[in-house]
mmCIF file of all heavy atoms in Angstrom:
data_model
loop_
_atom_site.group_PDB
_atom_site.id
_atom_site.type_symbol
_atom_site.label_atom_id
_atom_site.label_comp_id
_atom_site.label_asym_id
_atom_site.label_seq_id
_atom_site.Cartn_x
_atom_site.Cartn_y
_atom_site.Cartn_z
ATOM 1 N N ARG A 1 0.756 -4.561 -10.391
ATOM 2 C CA ARG A 1 0.355 -3.251 -10.923
ATOM 3 C C ARG A 1 1.498 -2.259 -10.813
ATOM 4 O O ARG A 1 1.745 -1.469 -11.739
ATOM 5 C CB ARG A 1 -0.866 -2.753 -10.157
ATOM 6 C CG ARG A 1 -1.325 -1.357 -10.556
ATOM 7 C CD ARG A 1 -2.330 -0.818 -9.570
ATOM 8 N NE ARG A 1 -2.701 0.564 -9.875
ATOM 9 C CZ ARG A 1 -3.341 1.360 -9.046
ATOM 10 N NH1 ARG A 1 -3.705 0.931 -7.852
ATOM 11 N NH2 ARG A 1 -3.643 2.588 -9.399
ATOM 12 N N LEU A 2 2.198 -2.301 -9.681
ATOM 13 C CA LEU A 2 3.337 -1.405 -9.477
ATOM 14 C C LEU A 2 4.444 -1.691 -10.485
ATOM 15 O O LEU A 2 5.029 -0.768 -11.069
ATOM 16 C CB LEU A 2 3.863 -1.572 -8.048
ATOM 17 C CG LEU A 2 5.153 -0.834 -7.682
ATOM 18 C CD1 LEU A 2 4.978 0.670 -7.835
ATOM 19 C CD2 LEU A 2 5.576 -1.180 -6.266
ATOM 20 N N VAL A 3 4.730 -2.980 -10.702
ATOM 21 C CA VAL A 3 5.779 -3.353 -11.655
ATOM 22 C C VAL A 3 5.389 -2.948 -13.070
ATOM 23 O O VAL A 3 6.200 -2.393 -13.828
ATOM 24 C CB VAL A 3 6.048 -4.875 -11.579
ATOM 25 C CG1 VAL A 3 6.968 -5.323 -12.717
ATOM 26 C CG2 VAL A 3 6.666 -5.239 -10.242
ATOM 27 N N TYR A 4 4.138 -3.220 -13.438
ATOM 28 C CA TYR A 4 3.671 -2.916 -14.795
ATOM 29 C C TYR A 4 3.685 -1.413 -15.067
ATOM 30 O O TYR A 4 4.068 -0.960 -16.148
ATOM 31 C CB TYR A 4 2.266 -3.470 -14.989
ATOM 32 C CG TYR A 4 1.673 -3.179 -16.349
ATOM 33 C CD1 TYR A 4 2.068 -3.902 -17.468
ATOM 34 C CD2 TYR A 4 0.714 -2.169 -16.508
ATOM 35 C CE1 TYR A 4 1.543 -3.621 -18.716
ATOM 36 C CE2 TYR A 4 0.177 -1.889 -17.749
ATOM 37 C CZ TYR A 4 0.594 -2.621 -18.850
ATOM 38 O OH TYR A 4 0.072 -2.345 -20.085
ATOM 39 N N ALA A 5 3.263 -0.631 -14.074
ATOM 40 C CA ALA A 5 3.208 0.830 -14.243
ATOM 41 C C ALA A 5 4.568 1.491 -14.103
ATOM 42 O O ALA A 5 4.714 2.675 -14.416
ATOM 43 C CB ALA A 5 2.241 1.427 -13.227
ATOM 44 N N GLN A 6 5.559 0.715 -13.595
ATOM 45 C CA GLN A 6 6.903 1.248 -13.361
ATOM 46 C C GLN A 6 6.865 2.465 -12.426
ATOM 47 O O GLN A 6 7.534 3.470 -12.643
ATOM 48 C CB GLN A 6 7.587 1.604 -14.686
ATOM 49 C CG GLN A 6 7.794 0.406 -15.595
ATOM 50 C CD GLN A 6 8.567 0.749 -16.849
ATOM 51 O OE1 GLN A 6 8.677 1.904 -17.240
ATOM 52 N NE2 GLN A 6 9.139 -0.256 -17.496
ATOM 53 N N GLY A 7 6.066 2.323 -11.382
ATOM 54 C CA GLY A 7 5.931 3.391 -10.398
ATOM 55 C C GLY A 7 4.479 3.807 -10.253
ATOM 56 O O GLY A 7 3.656 3.506 -11.112
ATOM 57 N N LEU A 8 4.172 4.448 -9.147
ATOM 58 C CA LEU A 8 2.806 4.869 -8.876
ATOM 59 C C LEU A 8 2.737 6.379 -8.706
ATOM 60 O O LEU A 8 3.686 7.008 -8.226
ATOM 61 C CB LEU A 8 2.281 4.195 -7.592
ATOM 62 C CG LEU A 8 2.139 2.670 -7.614
ATOM 63 C CD1 LEU A 8 1.736 2.176 -6.238
ATOM 64 C CD2 LEU A 8 1.136 2.233 -8.659
ATOM 65 N N ALA A 9 1.595 6.947 -9.115
ATOM 66 C CA ALA A 9 1.352 8.368 -8.871
ATOM 67 C C ALA A 9 1.207 8.619 -7.381
ATOM 68 O O ALA A 9 1.149 7.676 -6.576
ATOM 69 C CB ALA A 9 0.107 8.816 -9.628
ATOM 70 N N SER A 10 1.114 9.856 -7.001
ATOM 71 C CA SER A 10 1.148 10.234 -5.590
ATOM 72 C C SER A 10 0.049 9.566 -4.765
ATOM 73 O O SER A 10 0.312 8.967 -3.715
ATOM 74 C CB SER A 10 1.045 11.754 -5.458
ATOM 75 O OG SER A 10 1.094 12.144 -4.104
ATOM 76 N N THR A 11 -1.207 9.630 -5.241
ATOM 77 C CA THR A 11 -2.321 9.086 -4.450
ATOM 78 C C THR A 11 -2.263 7.572 -4.313
ATOM 79 O O THR A 11 -2.365 7.048 -3.192
ATOM 80 C CB THR A 11 -3.671 9.529 -5.051
ATOM 81 O OG1 THR A 11 -3.762 10.956 -4.983
ATOM 82 C CG2 THR A 11 -4.830 8.920 -4.278
ATOM 83 N N PRO A 12 -2.106 6.787 -5.392
ATOM 84 C CA PRO A 12 -1.976 5.331 -5.224
ATOM 85 C C PRO A 12 -0.768 4.938 -4.380
ATOM 86 O O PRO A 12 -0.807 3.945 -3.648
ATOM 87 C CB PRO A 12 -1.833 4.828 -6.671
ATOM 88 C CG PRO A 12 -2.425 5.888 -7.518
ATOM 89 C CD PRO A 12 -2.132 7.175 -6.809
ATOM 90 N N ARG A 13 0.294 5.711 -4.490
ATOM 91 C CA ARG A 13 1.503 5.446 -3.698
ATOM 92 C C ARG A 13 1.217 5.610 -2.211
ATOM 93 O O ARG A 13 1.602 4.772 -1.386
ATOM 94 C CB ARG A 13 2.584 6.413 -4.171
ATOM 95 C CG ARG A 13 3.848 6.492 -3.347
ATOM 96 C CD ARG A 13 4.825 7.419 -4.063
ATOM 97 N NE ARG A 13 5.889 7.860 -3.198
ATOM 98 C CZ ARG A 13 5.862 8.970 -2.467
ATOM 99 N NH1 ARG A 13 4.770 9.740 -2.505
ATOM 100 N NH2 ARG A 13 6.879 9.305 -1.705
ATOM 101 N N LEU A 14 0.512 6.679 -1.856
ATOM 102 C CA LEU A 14 0.156 6.898 -0.453
ATOM 103 C C LEU A 14 -0.826 5.836 0.040
ATOM 104 O O LEU A 14 -0.752 5.397 1.193
ATOM 105 C CB LEU A 14 -0.436 8.299 -0.275
ATOM 106 C CG LEU A 14 0.535 9.465 -0.423
ATOM 107 C CD1 LEU A 14 -0.209 10.794 -0.344
ATOM 108 C CD2 LEU A 14 1.625 9.400 0.643
ATOM 109 N N MET A 15 -1.755 5.439 -0.834
ATOM 110 C CA MET A 15 -2.717 4.425 -0.444
ATOM 111 C C MET A 15 -2.037 3.086 -0.188
ATOM 112 O O MET A 15 -2.368 2.368 0.747
ATOM 113 C CB MET A 15 -3.785 4.280 -1.532
ATOM 114 C CG MET A 15 -4.990 3.454 -1.089
ATOM 115 S SD MET A 15 -5.859 4.196 0.309
ATOM 116 C CE MET A 15 -6.047 2.784 1.398
ATOM 117 N N ARG A 16 -1.067 2.753 -1.030
ATOM 118 C CA ARG A 16 -0.299 1.517 -0.839
ATOM 119 C C ARG A 16 0.429 1.555 0.502
ATOM 120 O O ARG A 16 0.419 0.572 1.250
ATOM 121 C CB ARG A 16 0.703 1.362 -1.986
ATOM 122 C CG ARG A 16 1.627 0.131 -1.884
ATOM 123 C CD ARG A 16 2.574 0.088 -3.081
ATOM 124 N NE ARG A 16 3.583 -0.947 -2.944
ATOM 125 C CZ ARG A 16 3.450 -2.198 -3.360
ATOM 126 N NH1 ARG A 16 2.330 -2.591 -3.933
ATOM 127 N NH2 ARG A 16 4.432 -3.082 -3.200
ATOM 128 N N HIS A 17 1.034 2.688 0.808
ATOM 129 C CA HIS A 17 1.725 2.860 2.092
ATOM 130 C C HIS A 17 0.756 2.728 3.260
ATOM 131 O O HIS A 17 1.014 1.998 4.221
ATOM 132 C CB HIS A 17 2.392 4.237 2.105
ATOM 133 C CG HIS A 17 2.889 4.662 3.448
ATOM 134 N ND1 HIS A 17 4.001 4.118 4.047
ATOM 135 C CD2 HIS A 17 2.412 5.599 4.332
ATOM 136 C CE1 HIS A 17 4.193 4.684 5.223
ATOM 137 N NE2 HIS A 17 3.248 5.582 5.420
ATOM 138 N N LEU A 18 -0.373 3.408 3.151
ATOM 139 C CA LEU A 18 -1.318 3.472 4.256
ATOM 140 C C LEU A 18 -1.927 2.117 4.594
ATOM 141 O O LEU A 18 -1.864 1.672 5.746
ATOM 142 C CB LEU A 18 -2.429 4.468 3.926
ATOM 143 C CG LEU A 18 -3.583 4.492 4.921
ATOM 144 C CD1 LEU A 18 -3.198 5.336 6.117
ATOM 145 C CD2 LEU A 18 -4.854 5.010 4.300
ATOM 146 N N TRP A 19 -2.524 1.458 3.593
ATOM 147 C CA TRP A 19 -3.255 0.235 3.918
ATOM 148 C C TRP A 19 -2.322 -0.880 4.355
ATOM 149 O O TRP A 19 -2.673 -1.691 5.232
ATOM 150 C CB TRP A 19 -4.156 -0.184 2.759
ATOM 151 C CG TRP A 19 -3.581 -1.136 1.745
ATOM 152 C CD1 TRP A 19 -3.085 -0.831 0.519
ATOM 153 C CD2 TRP A 19 -3.489 -2.571 1.867
ATOM 154 N NE1 TRP A 19 -2.673 -1.968 -0.131
ATOM 155 C CE2 TRP A 19 -2.917 -3.054 0.676
ATOM 156 C CE3 TRP A 19 -3.830 -3.485 2.871
ATOM 157 C CZ2 TRP A 19 -2.664 -4.407 0.443
ATOM 158 C CZ3 TRP A 19 -3.571 -4.839 2.645
ATOM 159 C CH2 TRP A 19 -2.999 -5.287 1.451
ATOM 160 N N ARG A 20 -1.114 -0.934 3.804
ATOM 161 C CA ARG A 20 -0.194 -2.006 4.183
ATOM 162 C C ARG A 20 0.333 -1.810 5.597
ATOM 163 O O ARG A 20 0.436 -2.764 6.371
ATOM 164 C CB ARG A 20 0.945 -2.099 3.156
ATOM 165 C CG ARG A 20 0.460 -2.663 1.821
ATOM 166 C CD ARG A 20 1.509 -2.641 0.729
ATOM 167 N NE ARG A 20 0.919 -3.142 -0.511
ATOM 168 C CZ ARG A 20 1.304 -4.258 -1.131
ATOM 169 N NH1 ARG A 20 2.284 -4.986 -0.631
ATOM 170 N NH2 ARG A 20 0.710 -4.640 -2.244
ATOM 171 N N MET A 21 0.659 -0.579 5.951
ATOM 172 C CA MET A 21 1.107 -0.311 7.312
ATOM 173 C C MET A 21 -0.011 -0.580 8.318
ATOM 174 O O MET A 21 0.198 -1.224 9.354
ATOM 175 C CB MET A 21 1.586 1.140 7.422
ATOM 176 C CG MET A 21 2.878 1.426 6.693
ATOM 177 S SD MET A 21 4.267 0.502 7.354
ATOM 178 C CE MET A 21 5.592 1.655 7.120
ATOM 179 N N CYS A 22 -1.203 -0.086 7.998
ATOM 180 C CA CYS A 22 -2.329 -0.256 8.920
ATOM 181 C C CYS A 22 -2.747 -1.716 9.028
ATOM 182 O O CYS A 22 -3.086 -2.184 10.121
ATOM 183 C CB CYS A 22 -3.511 0.600 8.476
ATOM 184 S SG CYS A 22 -3.305 2.366 8.777
ATOM 185 N N PHE A 23 -2.721 -2.445 7.925
ATOM 186 C CA PHE A 23 -3.141 -3.840 8.002
ATOM 187 C C PHE A 23 -2.109 -4.695 8.722
ATOM 188 O O PHE A 23 -2.463 -5.669 9.391
ATOM 189 C CB PHE A 23 -3.423 -4.411 6.612
ATOM 190 C CG PHE A 23 -4.488 -5.461 6.625
ATOM 191 C CD1 PHE A 23 -5.818 -5.105 6.463
ATOM 192 C CD2 PHE A 23 -4.183 -6.791 6.841
ATOM 193 C CE1 PHE A 23 -6.815 -6.060 6.510
ATOM 194 C CE2 PHE A 23 -5.168 -7.756 6.887
ATOM 195 C CZ PHE A 23 -6.486 -7.388 6.715
ATOM 196 N N ALA A 24 -0.841 -4.321 8.608
ATOM 197 C CA ALA A 24 0.179 -4.999 9.406
ATOM 198 C C ALA A 24 -0.106 -4.803 10.894
ATOM 199 O O ALA A 24 0.001 -5.743 11.701
ATOM 200 C CB ALA A 24 1.562 -4.464 9.055
ATOM 201 N N LEU A 25 -0.479 -3.578 11.261
ATOM 202 C CA LEU A 25 -0.847 -3.304 12.645
ATOM 203 C C LEU A 25 -2.095 -4.087 13.036
ATOM 204 O O LEU A 25 -2.184 -4.623 14.151
ATOM 205 C CB LEU A 25 -1.074 -1.806 12.829
ATOM 206 C CG LEU A 25 -1.441 -1.328 14.232
ATOM 207 C CD1 LEU A 25 -0.333 -1.666 15.224
ATOM 208 C CD2 LEU A 25 -1.706 0.179 14.235
ATOM 209 N N PHE A 26 -3.066 -4.181 12.130
ATOM 210 C CA PHE A 26 -4.298 -4.933 12.381
ATOM 211 C C PHE A 26 -3.999 -6.400 12.679
ATOM 212 O O PHE A 26 -4.545 -6.990 13.621
ATOM 213 C CB PHE A 26 -5.222 -4.816 11.172
ATOM 214 C CG PHE A 26 -6.429 -5.706 11.225
ATOM 215 C CD1 PHE A 26 -7.537 -5.362 11.984
ATOM 216 C CD2 PHE A 26 -6.463 -6.901 10.521
ATOM 217 C CE1 PHE A 26 -8.650 -6.191 12.039
ATOM 218 C CE2 PHE A 26 -7.566 -7.740 10.560
ATOM 219 C CZ PHE A 26 -8.664 -7.377 11.325
ATOM 220 N N ILE A 27 -3.129 -7.016 11.883
ATOM 221 C CA ILE A 27 -2.767 -8.422 12.102
ATOM 222 C C ILE A 27 -2.084 -8.596 13.449
ATOM 223 O O ILE A 27 -2.367 -9.535 14.193
ATOM 224 C CB ILE A 27 -1.858 -8.917 10.967
ATOM 225 C CG1 ILE A 27 -2.624 -8.959 9.641
ATOM 226 C CG2 ILE A 27 -1.293 -10.301 11.286
ATOM 227 C CD1 ILE A 27 -1.747 -9.277 8.445
ATOM 228 N N SER A 28 -1.183 -7.665 13.774
ATOM 229 C CA SER A 28 -0.451 -7.758 15.037
ATOM 230 C C SER A 28 -1.374 -7.598 16.231
ATOM 231 O O SER A 28 -1.255 -8.326 17.227
ATOM 232 C CB SER A 28 0.650 -6.692 15.076
ATOM 233 O OG SER A 28 1.538 -6.869 14.009
ATOM 234 N N VAL A 29 -2.291 -6.646 16.146
ATOM 235 C CA VAL A 29 -3.256 -6.463 17.229
ATOM 236 C C VAL A 29 -4.135 -7.698 17.371
ATOM 237 O O VAL A 29 -4.403 -8.163 18.484
ATOM 238 C CB VAL A 29 -4.117 -5.205 16.973
ATOM 239 C CG1 VAL A 29 -5.307 -5.153 17.935
ATOM 240 C CG2 VAL A 29 -3.275 -3.953 17.119
ATOM 241 N N GLY A 30 -4.571 -8.260 16.239
ATOM 242 C CA GLY A 30 -5.387 -9.468 16.283
ATOM 243 C C GLY A 30 -4.655 -10.641 16.907
ATOM 244 O O GLY A 30 -5.230 -11.415 17.672
#
């Protein structure tokens, strides 16, 4: 989706940052 859109608007961009960082932490904690 990111490649096709050639960039993300502010909200999807922040959401991509948020869930990936948090889920990386989730995996590590697990």
Side-chain angles (χ1 to χ4, degrees):
R1 176 192 175 194
L2 173 61
V3 171
Y4 178 77
Q6 298 185 342
L8 296 175
S10 181
T11 297
R13 170 175 164 268
L14 290 175
M15 192 62 228
R16 177 180 172 90
H17 168 73
L18 172 81
W19 92 259
R20 289 174 183 244
M21 290 297 214
C22 286
F23 211 90
L25 181 61
F26 171 79
I27 293 173
S28 301
V29 169

